[in-house]
Amino acid sequence: MSRYNKNTLLIILISTLLTTLLVINTTLVESRAPFACDPHNGLTRSQRFCRTNLPIHIRVRDLIGRLTLQEKIRLLVNNAAAVPRLGIEGYEWWSEALHGVSKTGPGVKFGGAFPGATSFPQVITTAASFNQSLWQHIGRVVSDEARAMYNGGMAGLTYWSPNVNVFRDPRWGRGQETPGEDPVVAGKYAAAYVQGLQGDGAGNRLKVAACCKHYTAYDLDNWNGVDRFHFNARVSKQDLADTYDVPFKACVTQGKVASVMCSYNQVNGKPTCADSDLLKGTIRGEWHLNGYIVSDCDSVGVLYDSQHYTSTPEAAAAITIKAGLDLDCGPFLAVHTEQAIKGGLLTEIDVDMALANTITVQMRLGMFDGEPSAQPYGRLGPRDVCTPAHKELALEAARQGIVLLKNSRQTLPLSVRRHRTVAVIGPNSDVTATMIGNYEGIPCGYTTPLQGISRYAKTIHQDGCINVHCMDKAQFGAAETAAQEADATVLIIGLDQSIEAEFRDRSSLLLPGHQQEFVSRVARASRGPVVLVLMSGGPIDLSFAKNDPRIGAIVWAGYPGQAGGAAIADVVFGATNPGGKLPMTWYPQSYLAKVPMTNMDMRADSRSGYPGRTYRFYNGPVVFPFGHGLSYTTFRHTLAQAPKQLLLTITSLNTTLSTTNSIKASHTNCDKLSIPVDVDVKNAGDMDGTHTLLVFSAPPAGKWSPNKQLIGFEKVHVLAGSEQRVRFNVDVCKHLSVVDQFGIRRIPMGDHSIHIGDELKHSFSLQANTAGD
């Protein structure tokens, strides 16, 4: 047989195989039975709640009216029971998608046609990109894969992500899940990621339903004998309004999230899931949540069993539902709600109101619209998971999130010509699962740092430490020998989930075990330049490495996801010019002695010696500040346009300047108060680069917080030698206001300043003017 014929047969064989796979894939997608309103079920297809041409609220009311009390109660929990007589399947509400479809929670199963899903970098790493379009793009990809898995019967449509709590304390084990310490960044991340997950919202429809958690003032898991199940967070109205609530407000009002999760802890003596002021008053009343409120798992049981907030379980069920809780992650409401109603603590109407919120979300998801494959996103299947484009996005996200902390004498990037042999050393040098952090799924595949660097150079590999705890020095000598033999040394160290995780807060900011000694010894032994790469979610006191001249460069990779090793290698060898910025302050170890995790105050108190928290309120020494991040090129900022004076019109006749020389933001016309600020960004180096422009404001001197606060950020790619102009619109009411001790937002009069990065500052005068003057 000729070669031509063999090739032809091979092409035919491949084509046939692909066609067969496509048919199998289509069958898998179409095989999911309708959740409800099956067009083949004559008993239910004509029911009023199944009629897609009716408004959703009419359909919801009809369905609730058909349910018995017992059926209603079994729908109040995450593993909602089926209602066979109405053709409704059971549903598991609990699925997670923090940075990819997750295996955490019972709603997702991997296997068969869905062996894995794209695992993006942990949120703290992605936040370091300061790239809102990237955050939204990741959300779109994650929801594509989630919908595909739902169509294949392997996942739900309600995902309890993202975590938008403020990373207040550097010891918090779950800080890695958050977008960092700044409430504005956390809020913008929340809105962007939620919009990516939920789709464009056309017709009030949802692609998947996201959930912003954990509301509110939750950022302690298990520290010094205090755990999240018993902790009462004492929070001032001021801190609640200008820090803790900010990301959640943005998530609801800008992101239009379909759900908010209340937390385990109490706030000022009340469990959050039983606080009607927080749930009904703020989330639903003030912010107008279009969705449902869910408890963190077993929170309702916790407030009765652990916090002893109520004297009976029935009272706990009643107080949470009446406060505005719609869904219980856990069995508590299914067990105790009926007796609460019989005892007169609760009414069936209260239950109906909760169900109206959850069922409305299910209808917005199309779960009551019959055949899944005939709906939007109904054709997504296995071919839409772990695609080449999705894998490339995971790699690009890791590249953008990597932060260059130190680069003495232009140690980086390494050269493939001069550094042909590289010693790759350290307990995180060839890890896989460490790179994806917690709330992880099963990734499409891994590229470890060793594998990534091996694409650029010959490698000599030594772990040096058995694991990140590094309690044994037996392998130090072999690591030192490897460093002596190589042209360059890349040390990859840090933390993992055995050090920081949910219910595992840290007690120290230092490297675990003997890692510091290990790094110093290898650096002394190295023949060539030394690059230190850290994997961690929280900050680490690296003062020793920052001040060690033998360590030429320090790179923070966070937990960089499935492609993390490739991204690290691309940065180390200069294929990628790093542009990430730290989304949290890196404090020295000495900071911890002054700040118990249980102290929720953000502002410093000179009387007690309390130093304050985050860059907004802390003025003490740092290892690396919030927003720090170097590049292989040099960027310069020039202010092209900004006002020197602004008159603020007072619209309320009853308003006068207070003793603090300020007015309430609600007493002026905020819609017309936007100031354009133009900044020219010049790339003065010889390498193209992407720059994150951070813009801060600082109020007039006085009783207001003396520190600057972030008001905006922009990612801009600038070619070597070129310049780009970036415009920021400064909203006076939002960006130049401060929150007073009563939780009221005020605009101070006087000299305000705008800070562009660290080096550029512009001051202008803001004065009040009564309407008609």
Side-chain angles (χ1 to χ4, degrees):
M1 187 179 291
S2 69
R3 183 179 181 84
Y4 173 83
N5 288 337
K6 286 181 179 178
N7 288 341
T8 301
L9 285 174
L10 182 60
I11 291 170
I12 293 171
L13 180 62
I14 292 172
S15 177
T16 303
L17 179 60
L18 289 173
T19 302
T20 303
L21 288 173
L22 182 60
V23 170
I24 292 171
N25 179 66
T26 302
T27 302
L28 281 167
V29 172
E30 294 179 346
S31 66
R32 184 182 185 95
F35 167 76
C37 303
D38 188 343
H40 303 294
N41 185 343
L43 294 177
T44 62
R45 66 187 177 197
S46 61
Q47 299 285 11
R48 194 170 173 81
F49 66 82
C50 292
R51 297 179 189 173
T52 58
N53 61 331
L54 293 176
I56 284 180
H57 72 276
I58 299 294
R59 300 169 66 193
V60 170
R61 187 189 312 151
D62 179 76
L63 173 56
I64 292 175
R66 297 174 187 274
L67 296 169
T68 67
L69 176 60
Q70 289 71 29
E71 288 169 339
K72 291 175 182 179
I73 289 171
R74 285 297 292 123
L75 298 180
L76 291 173
V77 291
N78 63 287
N79 58 335
V83 187
R85 68 182 184 84
L86 296 178
I88 300 172
E89 300 291 326
Y91 180 68
E92 177 54 68
W93 286 83
W94 181 8
S95 296
E96 303 276 357
L98 185 69
H99 51 107
V101 179
S102 171
K103 63 184 180 182
T104 304
V108 172
K109 297 178 178 63
F110 287 99
F114 300 95
T118 309
S119 187
F120 291 93
Q122 182 60 288
V123 175
I124 194 70
T125 309
T126 308
S129 72
F130 283 84
N131 187 340
Q132 294 178 75
S133 61
L134 174 67
W135 302 337
Q136 187 169 355
H137 193 179
I138 291 172
R140 285 197 300 269
V141 166
V142 172
S143 60
D144 276 350
E145 298 195 351
R147 265 283 178 175
M149 294 182 69
Y150 172 79
N151 293 338
M154 303 295 280
L157 290 177
T158 47
Y159 289 84
W160 294 346
S161 303
N163 179 344
V164 297
N165 292 114
V166 170
F167 196 172
R168 170 189 64 99
D169 191 288
R171 292 162 287 198
W172 189 30
R174 301 189 73 176
Q176 60 181 293
E177 302 172 29
T178 77
E181 73 180 35
D182 184 83
V184 170
V185 175
K188 289 182 180 294
Y189 178 89
Y193 189 63
V194 165
Q195 288 165 358
L197 285 175
Q198 295 191 165
D200 59 13
N204 201 29
R205 303 283 295 196
L206 293 167
K207 187 179 180 185
V208 303
C211 173
C212 280
K213 61 184 185 183
H214 313 77
Y215 185 73
T216 184
Y218 165 65
D219 50 13
L220 178 151
D221 270 68
N222 188 14
W223 176 82
N224 202 29
V226 180
D227 66 48
R228 61 187 182 180
F229 305 122
H230 300 85
F231 180 50
N232 177 23
R234 299 192 179 278
V235 184
S236 69
K237 290 181 179 180
Q238 188 174 36
D239 286 340
L240 196 65
D242 83 344
T243 297
Y244 296 109
D245 276 5
V246 172
F248 292 94
K249 181 177 181 180
C251 189
V252 175
T253 61
Q254 298 168 33
K256 308 298 182 185
V257 74
S259 176
V260 172
M261 176 183 286
C262 51
S263 54
Y264 290 112
N265 56 289
Q266 295 185 357
V267 172
N268 298 327
K270 285 186 178 181
T272 62
C273 293
D275 191 331
S276 60
D277 290 334
L278 293 179
L279 306 190
K280 279 187 175 178
T282 301
I283 298 175
R284 200 171 294 285
E286 183 182 336
W287 299 341
H288 306 294
L289 172 71
N290 180 16
Y292 70 97
I293 298 175
V294 61
S295 72
D296 205 342
C297 295
D298 295 318
S299 285
V300 184
V302 164
L303 72 87
Y304 169 69
D305 294 319
S306 300
Q307 298 176 5
H308 308 297
Y309 188 71
T310 62
S311 58
T312 66
E314 292 78 20
I319 196 172
T320 51
I321 293 174
K322 291 174 76 172
L325 186 71
D326 303 311
L327 186 71
D328 177 19
C329 178
F332 198 91
L333 291 186
V335 175
H336 299 292
T337 299
E338 185 170 4
Q339 289 303 314
I341 292 173
K342 289 179 178 178
L345 301 175
L346 193 67
T347 68
E348 188 169 351
I349 293 175
D350 294 321
V351 173
D352 290 350
M353 292 175 64
L355 291 183
N357 292 323
T358 54
I359 295 171
T360 294
V361 168
Q362 288 181 311
M363 288 196 177
R364 293 172 64 197
L365 288 163
M367 295 173 66
F368 285 83
D369 292 353
E371 179 58 55
S373 63
Q375 299 174 35
Y377 317 111
R379 306 303 300 176
L380 292 171
R383 66 185 179 278
D384 301 298
V385 180
C386 288
T387 68
H390 294 182
K391 294 176 185 177
E392 181 62 29
L393 184 63
L395 173 58
E396 179 59 23
R399 289 170 178 150
Q400 291 194 29
I402 289 175
V403 182
L404 180 62
L405 299 175
K406 173 184 176 181
N407 196 22
S408 301
R409 303 178 303 278
Q410 295 183 315
T411 297
L412 289 179
L414 297 183
S415 166
V416 292
R417 295 188 303 275
R418 289 182 287 110
H419 306 113
R420 298 186 178 183
T421 303
V422 176
V424 182
I425 297 171
N428 281 339
S429 60
D430 197 28
V431 292
T432 53
T434 297
M435 295 195 298
I436 59 176
N438 68 351
Y439 280 79
E440 77 284 11
I442 298 177
C444 313
Y446 290 106
T447 302
T448 72
L450 177 62
Q451 291 169 337
I453 293 170
S454 295
R455 297 172 180 174
Y456 286 93
K458 179 182 177 182
T459 55
I460 306 170
H461 178 237
Q462 288 290 334
D463 287 327
C465 302
I466 296 174
N467 52 42
V468 294
H469 293 269
C470 201
M471 302 305 294
D472 189 346
K473 303 180 185 180
Q475 299 180 30
F476 284 17
E480 290 171 294
T481 300
Q484 290 169 348
E485 296 174 352
D487 299 323
T489 297
V490 179
L491 276 156
I492 307 172
I493 60 166
L495 313 178
D496 63 16
Q497 300 306 302
S498 69
I499 302 291
E500 55 176 358
E502 184 170 8
F503 215 66
R504 185 175 290 129
D505 297 328
R506 287 189 287 162
S507 59
S508 171
L509 299 183
L510 300 176
L511 287 167
H514 299 295
Q515 278 198 51
Q516 179 171 327
E517 178 187 348
F518 169 63
V519 169
S520 297
R521 283 178 54 174
V522 171
R524 281 197 300 268
S526 181
R527 177 164 60 89
V530 177
V531 179
L532 183 63
V533 178
L534 288 112
M535 288 189 195
S536 73
I540 300 171
D541 184 348
L542 287 176
S543 301
F544 81 98
K546 178 183 177 182
N547 299 324
D548 189 340
R550 291 173 297 247
I551 299 173
I554 303 175
V555 173
W556 178 69
Y559 293 125
Q562 65 179 41
I568 289 169
D570 288 346
V571 168
V572 166
F573 280 91
T576 294
N577 188 351
K581 303 282 187 182
L582 288 179
M584 71 294 204
T585 303
W586 286 38
Y587 304 90
Q589 171 71 8
S590 58
Y591 174 78
L592 300 187
K594 305 170 185 176
V595 283
M597 277 193 80
T598 49
N599 189 326
M600 303 296 290
D601 292 341
M602 298 300 297
R603 289 159 172 78
D605 184 349
S606 58
R607 294 167 299 178
S608 66
Y610 182 72
R613 295 183 180 275
T614 78
Y615 79 93
R616 297 165 63 222
F617 305 108
Y618 170 69
N619 279 322
V622 300
V623 181
F624 295 109
F626 171 88
H628 176 70
L630 306 175
S631 171
Y632 294 152
T633 189
T634 301
F635 293 102
R636 293 186 181 138
H637 305 139
T638 305
L639 192 64
Q641 174 185 298
K644 293 184 178 180
Q645 184 173 0
L646 182 68
L647 289 178
L648 188 65
T649 299
I650 299 174
T651 57
S652 174
L653 296 178
N654 297 323
T655 296
T656 57
L657 289 175
S658 69
T659 55
T660 58
N661 195 28
S662 66
I663 65 168
K664 292 182 180 180
S666 59
H667 287 179
T668 187
N669 189 351
C670 294
D671 294 337
K672 298 180 180 179
L673 290 174
S674 181
I675 305 170
V677 175
D678 292 341
V679 181
D680 290 332
V681 181
K682 182 177 178 60
N683 184 340
D686 55 7
M687 187 175 186
D688 298 348
T690 300
H691 180 56
T692 300
L693 194 63
L694 301 178
V695 180
F696 302 86
S697 72
K703 65 174 294 182
W704 312 112
S705 167
N707 291 9
K708 61 187 181 182
Q709 61 181 1
L710 187 72
I711 60 174
F713 52 91
E714 194 70 40
K715 199 87 168 175
V716 55
H717 187 75
V718 189
L719 302 179
S722 67
E723 183 176 274
Q724 285 201 36
R725 178 163 293 182
V726 180
R727 167 161 288 189
F728 289 91
N729 289 309
V730 179
D731 185 314
V732 172
C733 293
K734 184 186 297 183
H735 297 146
L736 302 183
S737 62
V738 293
V739 175
D740 67 16
Q741 66 267 36
F742 304 106
I744 298 171
R745 190 162 288 278
R746 292 183 170 276
I747 306 172
M749 300 298 106
D751 292 333
H752 290 253
S753 59
I754 300 291
H755 300 250
I756 313 296
D758 295 325
E759 75 281 5
L760 190 60
K761 177 182 175 181
H762 171 75
S763 296
F764 63 95
S765 175
L766 182 62
Q767 299 299 334
N769 180 30
T770 58
D773 284 2

